[in-house]
């Protein structure tokens, strides 16, 4: 595991990974990680493109209003 000179990237087995900004408050980081996880989960569980289109920005199915 190596760090780049600017500390923005972490290199593991030759792959470069973006590091978390240490200036972010813990609660903001937790909210963003939760949002990211919900989005990834929605994409993973969507059966097809139509199901993906039915998801709104928060990862929940659109509801008729």
């Amino acid at each position: 595991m190596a760090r780049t000179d600017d500390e923005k990237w972490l290199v593991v087995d030759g792959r470069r990974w973006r590091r978390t900004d240490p200036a972010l408050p813990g609660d903001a980081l937790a909210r963003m990680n939760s949002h990211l996880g919900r989005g990834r989960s929605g994409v993973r569980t969507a059966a097809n493109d139509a199901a993906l289109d039915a998801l709104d920005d928060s990862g929940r199915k659109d509801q008729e209003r």
Side-chain angles (χ1 to χ4, degrees):
M1 181 168 40
R3 293 182 178 163
T4 60
D5 291 336
D6 62 2
E7 296 288 320
K8 188 183 282 187
W9 302 97
L10 178 68
V11 180
V12 178
D13 293 331
R15 294 187 69 186
R16 193 171 69 160
W17 299 87
R18 178 83 182 211
R19 294 174 58 87
T20 301
D21 184 351
L24 288 174
D27 60 331
L29 181 59
R31 284 192 313 270
M32 286 188 272
N33 281 337
S34 177
H35 183 76
L36 177 63
R38 285 191 312 269
R40 286 179 174 168
S41 176
V43 169
R44 181 177 51 248
T45 58
N48 55 38
D49 289 339
L52 281 174
D53 291 340
L55 296 176
D56 66 13
D57 289 336
S58 66
R60 294 183 299 261
K61 288 185 179 179
D62 283 330
Q63 297 182 5
E64 297 289 325
R65 294 182 187 167

